């Protein structure tokens, strides 16, 4: 299933079943497990109006999107390293972030629900888990790479991500 002409925050737009995206801004909906007891909401609107119009039509008006109240994902942020911060290759660096549930605003501290990843030329490398800790920077070439902190709300199963870029440099010991 794809959502056409949407953004990641609101997920509004036209949905369609297909093997590929139709436009550059289309997003693929990925399936995930639905927690037990989570109500599922769906709707389809079809209809016709009998009779002739009383005045000439000025064209169809845009439909008003209706969104059910869905749980929102966790709120995630990275405190350390800051954007553009140096990460010394082969050395242990301190990573710190926060993740909170929505609704409820409870901190997520269980490492099973968090992950730190640095994406290098060969794909993402898992550095560690937990809201903070000292993790060894992988042996990547000098350069700037995206650092991602991901948290999953254990109640809703929804995931949120924070991302900064870090500069990998040599480690002087």
């Amino acid at each position: 299933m794809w959502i056409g002409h949407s953004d990641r925050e609101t997920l509004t737009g036209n949905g369609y079943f297909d093997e590929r995206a139709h436009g550059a801004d289309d997003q693929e909906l990925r399936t995930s497990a639905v927690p037990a007891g989570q109500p599922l909401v769906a709707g389809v609107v079809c209809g016709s109006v009998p009779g002739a119009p009383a005045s000439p039509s000025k064209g169809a008006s845009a439909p008003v999107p209706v969104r059910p109240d869905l749980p929102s994902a966790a709120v995630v942020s990275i405190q350390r390293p800051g954007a553009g911060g140096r990460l010394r290759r082969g050395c242990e660096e301190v990573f710190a972030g926060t993740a909170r549930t929505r609704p409820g605003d409870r901190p997520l501290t269980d490492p099973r629900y968090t992950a730190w990843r640095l994406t290098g030329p060969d794909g993402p490398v898992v550095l560690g888990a937990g809201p903070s800790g000292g993790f060894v920077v992988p042996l990547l070439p000098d350069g700037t790479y995206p650092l991602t902190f991901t948290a999953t709300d254990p109640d809703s199963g929804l995931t949120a991500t924070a991302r900064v870029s870090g500069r990998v440099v040599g480690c002087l010991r």
Side-chain angles (χ1 to χ4, degrees):
M1 170 102 184
W2 292 84
I3 295 289
H5 310 291
S6 178
D7 63 53
R8 294 193 185 278
E9 286 79 30
T10 58
L11 289 178
T12 60
N14 299 318
Y16 55 92
F17 291 95
D18 206 338
E19 294 177 352
R20 61 179 175 75
H22 289 249
D25 60 347
D26 289 1
Q27 298 175 24
E28 183 175 10
L29 292 179
R30 303 193 190 279
T31 60
S32 62
V34 176
Q38 172 70 44
L40 299 178
V41 179
V44 176
V45 177
C46 297
S48 62
V49 177
S55 62
S57 174
K58 294 181 182 176
S61 61
V64 177
V66 176
R67 294 183 352 172
D69 290 332
L70 298 176
S72 57
V75 174
V76 179
S77 66
I78 296 175
Q79 282 76 46
R80 192 165 176 187
R86 292 183 351 171
L87 301 171
R88 297 170 300 148
R89 172 181 47 252
C91 290
E92 185 175 285
E93 295 285 348
V94 175
F95 295 84
T98 60
R100 302 187 77 78
T101 63
R102 287 288 185 257
D105 202 33
R106 294 184 323 269
L108 291 172
T109 57
D110 190 331
R112 293 180 296 169
Y113 299 107
T114 58
W116 291 89
R117 289 181 180 82
L118 189 62
T119 303
D122 296 324
V125 177
V126 176
L127 301 176
S132 64
F135 309 125
V136 175
V137 176
L139 302 176
L140 296 171
D142 283 2
T144 301
Y145 301 100
L147 173 67
T148 306
F149 177 51
T150 303
T152 301
D153 186 325
D155 295 331
S156 68
L158 296 174
T159 300
T161 300
R163 183 174 288 125
V164 297
S165 292
R167 178 148 179 76
V168 172
V169 297
C171 179
L172 299 175
R173 291 183 189 220

